[in-house]
Amino acid sequence: MNAVPSPAPGHAPGHRLPAAPSRRSLLGGLLAGAAALAATPAVLATPARASARPAPTATRPLLLGTYTSAEGGGTGIGTATYDTATGATTPRPVITGVENPSYLALHPSGATVYAVAEQDAGAVTAVALAPDGTYEVLGTRPTGGSGPTHLSVHPSGRWLLSANYTSGSVAVHPIAQDGSLGERTDLVTHSSPPPGPGQNGPHAHQIVTAPDGGHVLAVDLGTDTVYTYRLDESAGTLTEVSRAALAPGSGPRHLTFHPGGRSAYLACELDNTTVVCAYDPDSGTLTPGAGQSTGSDTGYPAQLVVTGDGSYAYLANRGPNSLTRYAVEDGGAALRLLDTVPAGGDWPRQLALSPDSSLLFAANQRSSTVTAFRIGSDGSLAPAGDPLPAPVAVCVLPLP
């Protein structure tokens, strides 16, 4: 489901995108080191497209997705910092000039972040991030569909992939060397199989590249199907190579790969299950197993994340407002439910791990907060710091 901000499936109301790219100063040194946080950087005199980043410090940036069109929503991409040791978070100024940035993805260079514009006239926006903490909105491109809810950058850094929830389609855009986006090179609509029980059409909820780099998988909540495509890296076009059928009415929402690359985990929103899938990197074939418990009798699973060493997986449960901990077993081919803990907020929409998997962040949509948890050696979760105020928080992205 993709509510804004009610629990019913849907997307944000349509809003016009900025007429032209704008440049703003991101105060507080978003990408600067801890020493620079005490100063306010000046507005860039030239475009912010540098790819260099400062050496790691104890304070790192967070980017926050929201709905600018929702009551109580934000005014753009929120920013904050977090302490890598304690998890304590500090709010920073907002990156303005970006409409309904409900999902964010970072370019492999770290120099550009991309945001969906989740509205009727779907679009994607590129924002250049400079090491001194300034930024530049590089512009937007239409996705060719409505209600885009997810996007990801191909590992090559040359293609942006996006999923249009409301229209049930996936799109491809080329990425220029400066991080800006070119005209769309492909648009594929999920016209079959027929929608699942109670669904009103296809709803592409996610698009992601498999660890092998050769296949792109699109998760469709409306057709209860995961589509595997091969991306032509010269033309930017998608060719379907296989489909994985989930249980009718299960509503698959979000797929997460195990680091080993031969297993993946699906959060199924409508039947409240987690599904372990086998994955063949040679053919791109995904083979789902049986649905298993999310640790709660009710609710709407949102997203799974897996630690970098592949030992533990965590699931966000909306409704029960809990986080489920799984032990990853059999080389990634099995999940064993360990426990659940309170998410510390209302309607945990999305999860993210810090780059070293020492911290887990939850974006809580209805309570407008981001909560942080320290991950113990046994995978246990302990609250870290106070909740971070974040208007209609629907995505959190810790930067390396």
Side-chain angles (χ1 to χ4, degrees), residues 1 194-199 220-225 245-252 268-273 300:
M1 292 184 181
Q199 297 284 24
D220 197 297
L221 185 149
T223 63
D224 298 319
T225 301
L246 279 296
S250 58
C268 291
E269 175 174 322
L270 299 184
D271 70 357
N272 188 30
T273 61
Y300 302 94

Side-chain angles (χ1 to χ4, degrees), residues 28-29 31-39 54-60:
L31 297 178
L37 290 173
T57 66
T59 303
R60 300 304 304 145

Side-chain angles (χ1 to χ4, degrees), residues 16-367:
R16 296 183 63 86
L17 293 169
S22 61
R23 185 166 64 221
R24 299 285 189 269
S25 172
L26 177 54
L27 303 178
L30 174 62
L31 297 178
L37 290 173
T40 300
V43 176
L44 281 180
T46 57
R49 293 181 174 87
S51 60
R53 293 199 300 271
T57 66
T59 303
R60 300 304 304 145
L62 289 173
L63 299 181
L64 309 168
T66 185
Y67 289 111
T68 59
S69 62
E71 182 179 355
T75 56
I77 298 173
T79 76
T81 59
Y82 71 96
D83 187 296
T84 57
T86 66
T89 52
T90 303
R92 310 302 299 178
V94 174
I95 297 174
T96 57
V98 186
E99 292 281 341
N100 289 317
S102 66
Y103 203 90
L104 310 171
L106 189 68
H107 191 275
S109 69
T112 312
V113 66
Y114 301 94
V116 299
E118 189 177 341
Q119 52 202 29
D120 287 335
V124 284
T125 301
V127 181
L129 306 172
D132 66 355
T134 52
Y135 72 91
E136 181 183 5
V137 178
L138 300 178
T140 63
R141 295 286 186 177
T143 61
S146 59
T149 190
H150 186 270
L151 80 175
S152 61
V153 181
H154 188 266
S156 67
R158 297 179 54 225
W159 304 102
L160 183 70
L161 313 166
S162 58
N164 295 304
Y165 175 86
T166 307
S167 55
S169 58
V170 293
V172 184
H173 287 82
I175 299 175
Q177 288 222 313
D178 66 355
S180 62
L181 297 170
E183 292 288 348
R184 188 179 66 249
T185 55
D186 205 1
L187 179 69
V188 179
T189 300
H190 297 157
S191 57
S192 65
Q199 297 284 24
N200 59 359
H203 293 304
H205 214 305
Q206 182 198 26
I207 185 166
V208 63
T209 304
D212 59 76
H215 297 96
V216 170
L217 288 85
V219 180
D220 197 297
L221 185 149
T223 63
D224 298 319
T225 301
V226 179
Y227 303 81
T228 298
Y229 299 97
R230 187 172 292 279
L231 174 68
D232 183 324
E233 294 190 44
S234 297
T237 53
L238 298 170
T239 301
E240 185 179 328
V241 296
S242 68
R243 298 180 183 182
L246 279 296
S250 58
R253 175 187 175 94
H254 196 280
L255 181 76
T256 303
F257 279 93
H258 183 269
R262 291 187 172 274
S263 300
Y265 315 115
L266 263 173
C268 291
E269 175 174 322
L270 299 184
D271 70 357
N272 188 30
T273 61
T274 295
V275 175
V276 178
C277 306
Y279 177 73
D280 180 359
D282 294 327
S283 65
T285 301
L286 190 76
T287 305
Q292 61 188 74
S293 174
T294 62
S296 173
D297 293 336
T298 61
Y300 302 94
Q303 180 187 1
L304 285 143
V305 293
V306 184
T307 54
D309 64 3
S311 296
Y312 296 95
Y314 303 94
L315 172 68
N317 298 300
R318 295 164 298 166
N321 296 334
S322 64
L323 306 177
T324 301
R325 178 175 60 126
Y326 295 97
V328 178
E329 299 179 334
D330 195 16
L335 294 179
R336 178 167 56 88
L337 194 154
L338 296 176
D339 57 19
T340 63
V341 299
D346 189 359
W347 212 251
R349 168 75 171 267
Q350 184 255 354
L351 298 179
L353 291 163
S354 61
D356 63 358
S357 293
S358 66
L359 295 167
L360 176 71
F361 298 92
N364 303 298
Q365 180 174 354
R366 293 182 181 173
S367 58

